[in-house]
Amino acid sequence: EREEHRLMLKAFTDKGKTVMKKLFEKKKYDTLFSVILKRPFRNDDTANSEMLYNLLWPLSMSERDRIWTLNISEEWGDGRMVMELAKWGIYASSDALLRIDTEVLRHCAETLVWTFTSTWRQLRDTSTHALVNLLAECKELILPLLTKFYKINDPYVEERLWASVFGALTCCQDSATACEVAVWVYSHIFESKQVPENILVRDYAKG
């Protein structure tokens, strides 16, 4: 697997993409996650947050916990890598974030959302703070992120996602963005036949 890592952590060649697809087919999740989390913002969709989404979204909570959550809930290995991403997200300045391509920030934000499954409280809290900072500075990511994740089958992820959006809107104080999000929330949440059961989610959505 060392050779596979070497291939994939460089700029992605066609051979690297093929290796990733084979790992996906063979369900070698540990190797996949290790490669993705080293650079989840890379442009190649076979090895960034899009691959992470494709891997994790279809799973039940128990399946996701088994192959993913356990890996990121320790202070070493994959847990250390996502914590480094979260700490960067907290301390990245407004000027620094404005210089980064929006797609790169989107990949970082989506990766942070998946860390909300973790049983490591410090990681969840740090990632929440980081996501608030990213979304407050890159407001155009808020609705795409909500649209992509609001139907997640994990109440812990759902709650932290809405908390992050509420925090970002509170920090950025942008009335146009707030109005746009409010219209979407009313249409997709409060007019829905299935209003979220979690009272905190409803409170954040109403906020």
Side-chain angles (χ1 to χ4, degrees), residues 67-151:
I67 71 167
W68 165 253
T69 302
L70 290 175
N71 280 2
I72 62 164
S73 294
E74 303 288 350
E75 298 181 31
W76 53 83
D78 292 345
R80 177 182 55 80
M81 286 190 285
V82 286
M83 178 60 90
E84 288 175 356
L85 174 66
K87 287 180 177 178
W88 168 81
I90 286 179
Y91 297 113
S93 68
S94 176
D95 287 343
L97 292 174
L98 289 173
R99 289 195 297 268
I100 298 173
D101 185 78
T102 302
E103 275 298 284
V104 169
L105 294 179
R106 178 179 71 83
H107 290 308
C108 292
E110 291 183 4
T111 303
L112 289 172
V113 170
W114 287 117
T115 67
F116 295 154
T117 70
S118 179
T119 59
W120 184 10
R121 177 66 179 270
Q122 185 182 359
L123 174 59
R124 296 199 312 274
D125 290 347
T126 307
S127 293
T128 303
H129 190 170
L131 189 56
V132 169
N133 192 37
L134 294 186
L135 295 180
E137 296 298 336
C138 197
K139 298 177 286 293
E140 62 268 36
L141 291 179
I142 292 176
L143 274 182
L145 199 67
L146 275 178
T147 302
K148 192 166 188 174
F149 284 97
Y150 82 103
K151 289 187 176 181

Side-chain angles (χ1 to χ4, degrees), residues 5-206:
H5 273 76
R6 188 189 67 79
L7 284 169
M8 292 179 290
L9 292 175
K10 292 176 65 177
F12 257 63
T13 61
D14 289 339
K15 188 173 182 180
K17 295 176 184 179
T18 300
V19 172
M20 285 296 284
K21 288 177 181 177
K22 286 182 178 179
L23 289 171
F24 180 76
E25 292 167 0
K26 294 178 180 179
K27 298 183 178 181
K28 290 190 174 182
Y29 298 120
D30 287 354
T31 305
L32 278 169
F33 293 146
S34 180
V35 172
I36 292 169
L37 293 177
K38 279 183 170 63
R39 290 183 64 203
F41 46 81
R42 57 165 59 90
N43 290 326
D44 193 283
D45 285 350
T46 61
N48 60 18
S49 69
E50 284 298 327
M51 172 61 91
L52 199 58
Y53 182 90
N54 292 335
L55 280 165
L56 299 178
W57 182 265
L59 303 179
S60 67
M61 278 186 67
S62 59
E63 291 172 323
R64 193 180 298 126
D65 286 345
R66 179 175 57 82
I67 71 167
W68 165 253
T69 302
L70 290 175
N71 280 2
I72 62 164
S73 294
E74 303 288 350
E75 298 181 31
W76 53 83
D78 292 345
R80 177 182 55 80
M81 286 190 285
V82 286
M83 178 60 90
E84 288 175 356
L85 174 66
K87 287 180 177 178
W88 168 81
I90 286 179
Y91 297 113
S93 68
S94 176
D95 287 343
L97 292 174
L98 289 173
R99 289 195 297 268
I100 298 173
D101 185 78
T102 302
E103 275 298 284
V104 169
L105 294 179
R106 178 179 71 83
H107 290 308
C108 292
E110 291 183 4
T111 303
L112 289 172
V113 170
W114 287 117
T115 67
F116 295 154
T117 70
S118 179
T119 59
W120 184 10
R121 177 66 179 270
Q122 185 182 359
L123 174 59
R124 296 199 312 274
D125 290 347
T126 307
S127 293
T128 303
H129 190 170
L131 189 56
V132 169
N133 192 37
L134 294 186
L135 295 180
E137 296 298 336
C138 197
K139 298 177 286 293
E140 62 268 36
L141 291 179
I142 292 176
L143 274 182
L145 199 67
L146 275 178
T147 302
K148 192 166 188 174
F149 284 97
Y150 82 103
K151 289 187 176 181
I152 185 74
N153 63 352
D154 186 324
Y156 302 104
V157 176
E158 182 185 32
E159 183 178 311
R160 291 278 180 155
L161 170 65
W162 283 98
S164 300
V165 169
F166 177 77
L169 291 172
T170 302
C171 289
C172 73
Q173 293 291 300
D174 185 293
S175 58
T177 300
C179 287
E180 186 181 9
V181 172
V183 170
W184 184 93
V185 168
Y186 185 79
S187 173
H188 289 77
I189 304 301
F190 295 113
E191 283 192 333
S192 171
K193 293 181 180 179
Q194 292 185 324
V195 176
E197 295 181 4
N198 188 322
I199 191 170
L200 285 175
V201 168
R202 297 201 302 272
D203 281 349
Y204 290 134
K206 284 190 293 185

